[in-house]
Amino acid sequence: MKSIVLAEKPSVARDLARVLGCSQQSKQYIEGPKYIVTWALGHLVELKMPEDYNKEYKQWRMEDLPIIPNEMGLKLIRQVSHQYKGIEQLSRRKDVGEFIIATDAGREGELVARWILEKLRWKKPVKRLWISSQTDRAIKDGFKNLKPAREYDFLYQSAVCRSEADWLIGLNVTRALTTKYNEQLSAGRVQTPALSMILEREADIKAFVPKEYFTIDAKIGPLEAAWEKNGEKRIFNRDQAEKIVELVKNEKGKVTSLSTKPKTEQQPLPYDLTELQRDANRRFGFSAKKTSSVLQNLYERYKLVTYPRTDSKYLTVDMKNTMNDRLQALSSAYREEVQPALKNKGTVLVNKVFNNDKVSDHHAIIPTDEPPHLGDLSSDERKLYDIIVRRFLALFYGPYQTETIHAVIDVKGESFSARETKIVDAGFKKITGKDEEDSRSKPLGNLKSGQEFSVKESRLQKKLTEPPARFNEADLLARMEKYGLGTPATRADIIERLLSTETIDRQNNRLHPTPKGKQLIDLVNSELKSPELTAKWEKQLEDIARGKGNPKDFLENIRTQTKQLVNEIKGSEQTYKAHNLTGSKCPECGEFMKEVKGRDGKILVCSSRECGFRKRKDPKMSNRRCPQCHKKMEIHNGKAGTYFQCRPCNVVEKAEDRKKTVTKREERQLMNKYKKKEEAPMGNSLADALKAALEKKD
């Protein structure tokens, strides 16, 4: 009997098929002697929408809310139903005896496969491939150690609970807000508290009142020193600061204290996804979504890194034996960096990294034993791969050791400090890079306690205290992780969701709330924007995944919460004012148009949700030519479909009138004839010739 192997996408399926010896290619699967490898295209099955339960729900009405089905149903996603039907046909074959789930080894990957199996009503045995890298060796080892799918039932239950909770709360609250305030307002279990965090920071910035303060720098003999008292370098009284500057001018300073303080910085652990996204944002300006996308390529296409969507920075104990193979794979591209580790027989100097208790589904992101060909990678892929490799190699180097010499100079009773940081052992920073502060450190020379120096210069600098900075994505990811908002796999999508709904804007790598976002937070229930409530839900989902929670109780609580949230919106007396209304009126219903961001720039959208008319603010030009002046026509999407418009001639044509347009080939032929005078047009212009050709076609 053969086994069906389900991958999450075609590219992964092709790799599995190659390793498993499947070569008979079909439209929806690849078959071999023992296995039939097929694939999903992301989700093929999803939760039913409200209109699938009742056609009247297609129209958004407040009186229908909350929509809470007694039992949530599943339906095929129409756009990818052809692939599901191909899998369905395979499942009915009499020579098929088992199903192997080979989708991504995580909560969402489990849901992709299990919903397909549920829709198929599969009754035969099911096994699970659970691997952390896509190398040939990992795939072969994984198929030798397939697990019974029932071992992942709790993970599946957690995935179902998460999906249904997002449907119940997100869909109902979004519909309630949108119908109440006649504006497309989106709210959700995770995105709303994330938006609330950005608004809280904005409130802190608005409330901040800058204070004037002063610092004093002095050139004392060969030393660059700064005034300091009890660790404070700022003086908030101008008169006091000016008196000190005058007091120390041309005086002598005496070294009253000279101390040396050693400091050891331990090697960092390998990356989990959130820290990698934060680091890539700080170093390269990558968005969290971009980092996830580039990382997925390194994992799936090039097989250079292990499973990306992990929340662990630790490795399992049995991975100690794989370290040397990984170093050997890196030895050509990172020869200088790897040599010291190989000389030490691949011994990891950070033993705490091997901890089974701190690895749940997947270990930290580290390089695989696949040799890298850096020339094949794009610039972004090289950047991300490089910091992953260097963070991994840090495990084979010693800690970073420095020594800070602190000199205190007394000038007329005022204390000035000078510091020098010496690197004792660069350790792991030989490969990850040194701190800027350490590299800027100024030498103190051979100082001795009791030495005296003249004050050559003293300078007063006026400064202002600064407000807290707006979050960049690294900051927001850190806050989301701290409060348990989302998972490593979903946080990037949450940020992109906030951007796409125009509740926040990204400017110079900083996240700014929009007028729409500010109003939305005022309208949303206080509980829903609280990170504590969402963190509590995420903890319950995690407990369910580990077999310690009750899915039924969780969903019952979500249903109760949904009713409460919707009823609060219904009873609210707050108002919403669209911030983006323009003076233009809709050509179809007469309501004012709103300016919103589209994929290709700004577009104008009718403020009436029932109308839905939209057009580009700067119209997109088509290749279609006006039958009168032969200039290119604008393309618009109206309620009745796509239409073309020539503004100078005021000619409007529907998309289905395309047959009346001269094709490019006909246009070229006509132009050649016209140039050769083989065909006399009605007039003397090319436009007349084209007009004549159109009339012939009619």
Side-chain angles (χ1 to χ4, degrees):
M1 300 290 280
K2 293 188 177 183
S3 301
I4 295 176
V5 179
L6 177 69
E8 195 156 327
K9 54 184 77 170
S11 57
V12 177
R14 286 192 290 271
D15 286 331
L16 293 174
R18 177 178 52 76
V19 174
L20 297 173
C22 304
S23 56
Q24 189 180 333
Q25 183 83 41
S26 182
K27 190 175 181 181
Q28 282 140 346
Y29 60 89
I30 308 169
E31 190 166 353
K34 291 176 64 179
Y35 300 100
I36 307 167
V37 181
T38 186
W39 53 87
L41 298 165
H43 278 286
L44 302 183
V45 180
E46 65 180 355
L47 291 172
K48 286 182 177 178
M49 294 305 288
E51 54 268 28
D52 297 316
Y53 298 100
N54 185 334
K55 289 182 180 178
E56 291 184 3
Y57 290 159
K58 190 164 188 178
Q59 186 176 351
W60 292 23
R61 292 188 298 259
M62 183 66 89
E63 55 266 30
D64 294 332
L65 302 176
I67 300 168
I68 303 178
N70 293 328
E71 191 174 329
M72 305 288 274
L74 298 174
K75 69 169 187 176
L76 294 181
I77 299 173
R78 186 174 55 83
Q79 295 88 333
V80 290
S81 59
H82 62 282
Q83 185 62 26
Y84 172 83
K85 287 172 184 172
I87 298 171
E88 187 178 39
Q89 288 173 359
L90 289 175
S91 71
R92 291 175 181 168
R93 280 175 46 168
K94 292 181 180 179
D95 62 339
V96 168
E98 71 174 1
F99 199 103
I100 299 172
I101 299 174
T103 49
D104 275 4
R107 188 165 71 181
E108 204 61 26
E110 196 68 22
L111 193 64
V112 167
R114 295 294 191 104
W115 273 357
I116 291 171
L117 288 171
E118 193 169 323
K119 199 73 180 166
L120 291 172
R121 296 182 181 176
W122 181 267
K123 302 296 181 187
K124 296 175 185 178
V126 183
K127 290 181 181 176
R128 187 48 156 120
L129 174 72
W130 195 271
I131 54 178
S132 288
S133 67
Q134 291 287 331
T135 63
D136 291 5
R137 179 169 160 183
I139 292 169
K140 288 174 184 176
D141 289 345
F143 271 88
K144 288 176 186 174
N145 297 284
L146 293 171
K147 307 280 180 68
R150 64 177 176 273
E151 290 186 15
Y152 300 91
D153 284 351
F154 291 133
L155 183 67
Y156 170 51
Q157 289 168 11
S158 171
V160 170
C161 287
R162 195 273 311 157
S163 187
E164 292 190 10
D166 286 348
W167 192 101
L168 289 164
I169 289 177
L171 185 144
N172 279 289
V173 174
T174 295
R175 283 197 175 203
L177 289 167
T178 301
T179 52
K180 174 87 173 179
Y181 302 107
N182 193 33
E183 176 75 16
Q184 189 64 50
L185 299 172
S186 176
R189 189 177 58 86
V190 180
Q191 72 183 59
T192 303
L195 174 62
S196 180
M197 288 177 175
I198 295 170
L199 264 297
E200 283 175 12
R201 174 53 60 93
E202 191 68 17
D204 291 342
I205 294 169
K206 297 289 187 212
F208 180 81
V209 179
K211 288 184 180 179
E212 186 179 74
Y213 71 92
F214 303 87
T215 61
I216 302 171
D217 297 322
K219 177 79 171 170
I220 305 175
L223 307 175
E224 290 287 348
W227 179 91
E228 187 175 341
K229 186 176 183 179
N230 299 325
E232 177 62 79
K233 295 182 178 181
R234 299 175 301 173
I235 303 171
F236 287 90
N237 185 299
R238 177 188 281 270
D239 290 340
Q240 180 191 351
E242 288 176 344
K243 283 178 182 176
I244 294 172
V245 171
E246 288 300 318
L247 178 68
V248 302
K249 265 185 185 177
N250 303 318
E251 295 291 341
K252 282 199 175 289
K254 183 178 182 180
V255 180
T256 58
S257 170
L258 200 59
S259 60
T260 302
K261 186 179 179 181
K263 182 182 175 183
T264 299
E265 185 179 337
Q266 297 298 330
Q267 304 92 320
L269 293 172
Y271 285 115
D272 63 6
L273 176 58
T274 301
E275 192 180 352
L276 180 61
Q277 288 170 326
R278 290 173 59 200
D279 219 3
N281 180 254
R282 282 192 296 259
R283 291 176 182 231
F284 316 126
F286 287 3
S287 68
K289 186 71 175 175
K290 179 174 181 176
T291 299
S292 293
S293 176
V294 173
L295 185 61
Q296 189 68 22
N297 250 5
L298 292 173
Y299 165 69
E300 194 176 281
R301 181 179 174 188
Y302 298 106
K303 299 157 186 39
L304 292 177
V305 300
T306 56
Y307 186 77
R309 292 185 287 280
T310 177
D311 60 356
S312 178
K313 297 179 182 178
Y314 292 84
L315 307 174
T316 53
V317 174
D318 61 349
M319 293 180 71
K320 279 186 181 180
N321 299 328
T322 71
M323 295 296 107
N324 204 57
D325 290 342
R326 297 174 199 271
L327 291 172
Q328 291 290 353
L330 294 169
S331 60
S332 58
Y334 291 87
R335 182 173 299 171
E336 287 183 20
E337 295 88 343
V338 168
Q339 283 309 312
L342 287 175
K343 284 179 183 176
N344 202 21
K345 299 180 181 178
T347 303
V348 170
L349 302 182
V350 189
N351 283 322
K352 68 176 182 179
V353 75
F354 298 107
N355 190 330
N356 291 353
D357 294 336
K358 296 200 174 183
V359 178
S360 52
D361 295 335
H362 294 282
H363 56 70
I365 301 167
I366 61 172
T368 64
D369 55 9
E370 187 80 15
H373 300 286
L374 299 182
D376 295 343
L377 305 182
S378 69
S379 172
D380 291 341
E381 288 164 348
R382 278 199 302 274
K383 286 176 182 176
L384 204 63
Y385 182 63
D386 186 65
I387 62 174
I388 292 169
V389 168
R390 291 180 184 279
R391 179 65 75 94
F392 168 70
L393 291 176
L395 298 173
F396 302 89
Y397 283 73
Y400 178 60
Q401 297 179 46
T402 58
E403 193 176 75
T404 301
I405 303 167
H406 180 203
V408 178
I409 305 106
D410 181 274
V411 184
K412 301 290 284 184
E414 297 295 337
S415 292
F416 286 79
S417 289
R419 289 178 176 83
E420 177 191 1
T421 299
K422 291 182 177 179
I423 298 171
V424 177
D425 187 344
F428 69 89
K429 290 199 177 180
K430 290 173 187 171
I431 53 168
T432 62
K434 300 180 182 66
D435 294 334
E436 281 187 31
E437 280 186 27
D438 294 348
S439 58
R440 287 201 303 261
S441 178
K442 294 178 181 177
L444 295 182
N446 298 317
L447 276 184
K448 292 180 182 178
S449 188
Q451 276 186 289
E452 291 189 353
F453 300 101
S454 297
V455 178
K456 297 178 181 177
E457 183 184 0
S458 57
R459 301 177 298 276
L460 183 70
Q461 291 193 53
K462 174 185 163 184
K463 297 179 181 179
L464 290 173
T465 55
E466 294 184 355
R470 289 185 175 88
F471 290 142
N472 55 26
E473 288 198 32
D475 301 325
L476 185 58
L477 286 166
R479 298 273 293 210
M480 291 174 78
E481 183 178 43
K482 178 182 175 182
Y483 287 100
L485 296 183
T487 66
T490 61
R491 287 177 191 131
D493 288 330
I494 293 299
I495 295 172
E496 292 302 316
R497 175 74 177 153
L498 292 173
L499 288 161
S500 68
T501 55
E502 297 186 45
T503 50
I504 64 171
D505 193 19
R506 190 190 284 123
Q507 298 173 23
N508 298 323
N509 203 28
R510 295 283 169 181
L511 301 174
H512 296 245
T514 63
K516 180 179 179 179
K518 291 173 184 175
Q519 288 192 80
L520 175 59
I521 282 298
D522 291 336
L523 301 175
V524 169
N525 323 62
S526 57
E527 269 196 307
L528 189 58
K529 58 189 177 189
S530 159
E532 286 78 16
L533 179 63
T534 301
K536 177 183 160 189
W537 286 335
E538 288 290 348
K539 175 69 169 60
Q540 290 171 347
L541 288 170
E542 192 62 34
D543 288 344
I544 291 168
R546 299 185 189 287
K548 297 175 182 176
N550 188 317
K552 189 176 178 182
D553 289 349
F554 174 81
L555 287 174
E556 195 56 47
N557 176 49
I558 290 291
R559 287 164 181 261
T560 303
Q561 201 83 39
T562 300
K563 292 174 187 175
Q564 181 186 327
L565 293 169
V566 170
N567 288 334
E568 279 186 37
I569 295 169
K570 282 183 176 181
S572 173
E573 295 182 359
Q574 295 193 73
T575 56
Y576 178 89
K577 184 179 179 182
H579 66 283
N580 53 350
L581 280 177
T582 67
S584 303
K585 288 193 174 182
C586 174
E588 296 193 2
C589 73
E591 292 290 330
F592 283 107
M593 304 283 281
K594 293 184 297 187
E595 185 181 288
V596 299
K597 282 185 179 178
R599 287 184 180 178
D600 302 317
K602 291 184 177 179
I603 60 173
L604 296 175
V605 177
C606 180
S607 58
S608 168
R609 289 189 302 107
E610 288 75 21
C611 173
F613 175 81
R614 56 177 53 211
K615 70 173 183 177
R616 286 176 59 92
K617 189 178 180 186
D618 301 314
K620 189 176 181 180
M621 304 306 293
S622 70
N623 285 324
R624 186 170 184 152
R625 300 280 182 172
C626 171
Q628 293 184 16
C629 69
H630 195 53
K631 290 182 178 177
K632 286 186 176 181
M633 301 176 79
E634 297 172 2
I635 184 168
H636 299 282
N637 291 312
K639 194 174 181 181
T642 303
Y643 67 90
F644 300 86
Q645 181 178 15
C646 175
R647 287 196 182 276
C649 304
N650 202 26
V651 171
V652 177
E653 290 183 348
K654 294 181 180 178
E656 53 266 31
D657 296 333
R658 185 176 292 274
K659 60 183 181 179
K660 295 183 180 180
T661 303
V662 177
T663 65
K664 285 188 176 180
R665 185 180 176 187
E666 290 171 327
E667 185 179 323
R668 283 197 301 272
Q669 290 173 345
L670 191 59
M671 287 179 75
N672 289 334
K673 287 180 180 180
Y674 179 69
K675 286 175 183 175
K676 294 176 183 177
K677 302 293 182 185
E678 290 179 8
E679 186 174 304
M682 292 191 306
N684 295 320
S685 69
L686 179 58
D688 290 334
L690 290 166
K691 186 175 179 182
L694 277 169
E695 288 175 355
K696 282 183 182 179
K697 289 188 81 173
D698 288 345

